Amino acid sequence: TRMGVTLFAGCSLIAVSPAVAMSVLFVAPKANLVILMTFSGFFLVLSLFAASLTWLALPALHDWPVFALVEGVLWQEAARFAFYRTCAEAERRTQATSLDKMVSFSPHRLEGMVASGLGAGTASVLLMVGGTLELSLLPGTLYVDTCRGMSFFEAAAWHGCLVLHNTLFLTVLAMHAYRAGDRARAGAVAG
């Protein structure tokens, strides 16, 4: 229906337009940042896959949702650290063999940190909110009982937008902590 398409388009713009704008303005002009952004999103998907396998392998977690949440956060932080180490090693090897020092896969520069955060944040939003927003194309709109002025889909879109910004912020903080070798600050990002 026409209303469904309008709702879907509006909510999709709320959820991902900050990522699209920052990607077009800051990431797209540099191929190495596009690679970092894509690679970061892939690592987030790998962390979700590992968390899902752990959930299936340990049925005892089904009775304790708090432990499942902690386990998911730990997998996500492990993937973020693995991504950081992989990029740092790629940067070291690229700079050692390259005559042109302009190509950088460094997770130590702010632009690399932002690209990494955008990749992980966008993947997170698309996985978390994409299916919900797809339902907005169906006839009818759901409203939350506690807020009749905001549809369920709009609330999900704003939630996705906040998750995107939170992931971007936490990625930059974590990369700074990893670079400094500050385990306490890296642990605070996960906690």
Side-chain angles (χ1 to χ4, degrees):
T1 66
R2 186 175 181 173
M3 179 63 179
V5 171
T6 305
L7 183 64
F8 175 77
C11 290
S12 297
L13 286 173
I14 289 171
V16 296
S17 63
V20 170
M22 287 190 281
S23 298
V24 167
L25 293 174
F26 302 114
V27 176
K30 297 183 179 179
N32 58 326
L33 296 181
V34 173
I35 292 170
L36 281 176
M37 185 175 156
T38 305
F39 201 42
S40 174
F42 176 72
F43 266 74
L44 179 101
V45 172
L46 284 180
S47 75
L48 294 175
F49 178 68
S52 299
L53 286 180
T54 305
W55 176 263
L56 291 173
L58 300 173
L61 290 178
H62 297 189
D63 296 332
W64 302 94
V66 172
F67 290 122
L69 179 66
V70 170
E71 173 258 332
V73 168
L74 291 176
W75 274 116
Q76 186 175 358
E77 290 308 314
R80 191 177 320 210
F81 183 71
F83 170 76
Y84 169 81
R85 296 296 303 157
T86 303
C87 289
E89 183 63 21
E91 171 73 4
R92 187 183 67 76
R93 290 181 184 207
T94 302
Q95 295 304 322
T97 60
S98 175
L99 297 175
D100 179 18
K101 302 295 183 188
M102 298 305 290
V103 176
S104 174
F105 293 103
S106 177
H108 298 149
R109 295 183 181 161
L110 182 61
E111 63 184 6
M113 293 177 199
V114 169
S116 302
L118 283 173
T122 304
S124 180
V125 168
L126 292 177
L127 289 170
M128 180 179 62
V129 182
T132 303
L133 293 182
E134 182 184 1
L135 295 175
S136 70
L137 291 169
L138 300 174
T141 301
L142 303 173
Y143 287 91
V144 181
D145 290 337
T146 57
C147 183
R148 300 204 184 276
M150 180 181 288
S151 75
F152 171 72
F153 304 112
E154 185 181 354
W158 282 111
H159 182 249
C161 183
L162 292 173
V163 166
L164 171 74
H165 286 84
N166 184 50
T167 304
L168 176 59
F169 177 71
L170 289 177
T171 300
V172 171
L173 285 180
M175 297 290 178
H176 274 289
Y178 298 153
R179 178 180 63 192
D182 188 351
R183 292 184 182 191
R185 204 168 27 144
V189 169

